[in-house]
């Protein structure tokens, strides 16, 4: 039996760090944080809770994978993308640069180091992961704390969706 921690150069995300990513804001100055949190609460979190469905395991990018994630579909995709664009415009108005790539609902399972041999990626592809749909009922803003042991996430504030 293959253990998740036994593949060289592949770091699995611990379950207590699991989260579905909606937007990555980058480095935010402390002086702007409360304005951003207020915007999220009033202009982003006025939506109803929603379902993520049709989970699909994906290696990203396909050619030379660096991340293994679960991709989800949602009937709320258009609403979330519109909210994300409003959030990005607000953050740009504060002087930040935004990467406006189309968003994919995803849950990161592991990060793959650049020098990982193909055999180890093949081992990873043989692991059977099972996921069902997820109900999203709250939005949480996290601070990402990066270290050589991997990212840790510190909750800044959580908002209940309608």
């Amino acid at each position: 039996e293959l253990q998740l921690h036994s593949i060289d150069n592949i770091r699995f995300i611990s379950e207590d760090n699991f989260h579905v990513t909606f937007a990555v804001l980058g480095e935010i100055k402390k002086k702007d944080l409360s304005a951003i949190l207020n915007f999220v609460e009033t202009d982003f979190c006025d939506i109803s809770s929603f379902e993520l469905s049709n989970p699909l395991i994906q290696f990203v990018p396909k050619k030379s994978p660096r991340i293994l994630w679960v991709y989800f579909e949602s009937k709320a995709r258009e609403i979330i993308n519109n909210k994300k664009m409003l959030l990005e415009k607000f953050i740009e108005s504060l002087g930040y640069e935004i990467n406006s790539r189309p968003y994919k609902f995803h849950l990161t399972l592991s990060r793959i180091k650049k020098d990982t041999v193909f055999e180890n990626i093949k081992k990873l592809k043989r692991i059977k992961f099972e996921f069902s749909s997820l109900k999203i009922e709250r939005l949480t803003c996290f601070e990402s704390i990066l270290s050589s042991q991997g990212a840790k996430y510190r909750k800044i504030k959580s908002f209940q969706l309608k």
Side-chain angles (χ1 to χ4, degrees):
E1 179 179 68
L2 183 63
Q3 297 297 311
L4 292 183
H5 60 277
S6 67
I7 303 174
D8 288 341
N9 291 331
I10 296 174
R11 181 179 299 133
F12 287 88
I13 308 301
S14 65
E15 277 188 52
D16 57 334
N17 275 327
F18 276 176
H19 61 276
V20 177
T21 301
F22 289 98
V24 176
L25 305 181
E27 192 77 27
I28 300 293
K29 296 175 187 155
K30 283 190 180 189
K31 70 178 182 71
D32 296 326
L33 186 58
S34 66
I36 292 169
L37 292 173
N38 282 341
F39 183 89
V40 168
E41 185 169 26
T42 58
D43 295 289
F44 199 100
C45 290
D46 59 347
I47 61 173
S48 298
S49 59
F50 59 95
E51 193 92 9
L52 297 179
S53 59
N54 301 325
L56 178 65
I57 302 290
Q58 294 182 329
F59 288 86
V60 182
K62 286 181 184 178
K63 196 176 203 177
S64 184
R66 301 295 312 273
I67 296 174
L68 171 67
W69 72 24
V70 183
Y71 166 78
F72 294 94
E73 287 292 330
S74 179
K75 292 177 183 171
R77 176 174 303 287
E78 190 174 329
I79 293 167
I80 298 299
N81 278 331
N82 290 339
K83 293 290 187 179
K84 183 177 178 282
M85 286 188 330
L86 289 172
L87 176 61
E88 288 170 348
K89 285 180 182 172
F90 177 74
I91 290 173
E92 279 180 323
S93 77
L94 296 174
Y96 296 93
E97 251 184 70
I98 295 296
N99 180 349
S100 293
R101 287 187 290 208
Y103 177 72
K104 290 187 172 191
F105 294 109
H106 69 276
L107 180 137
T108 301
L109 298 176
S110 71
R111 298 197 181 279
I112 303 166
K113 290 185 181 177
K114 207 175 206 168
D115 55 352
T116 302
V117 294
F118 185 69
E119 268 312 302
N120 287 344
I121 293 173
K122 280 175 43 179
K123 284 181 192 175
L124 187 57
K125 288 182 177 182
R126 288 194 296 263
I127 298 173
K128 299 287 184 233
F129 295 97
E130 290 188 26
F131 291 90
S132 58
S133 61
L134 296 173
K135 184 163 185 164
I136 304 299
E137 298 175 328
R138 81 178 68 248
L139 179 87
T140 303
C141 295
F142 288 102
E143 174 186 14
S144 178
I145 303 161
L146 304 177
S147 75
S148 58
Q149 282 77 42
K152 298 278 186 219
Y153 301 96
R154 184 181 69 80
K155 182 171 93 171
I156 296 172
K157 190 166 184 179
S158 198
F159 306 96
Q160 187 69 39
L161 300 179
K162 286 186 190 176

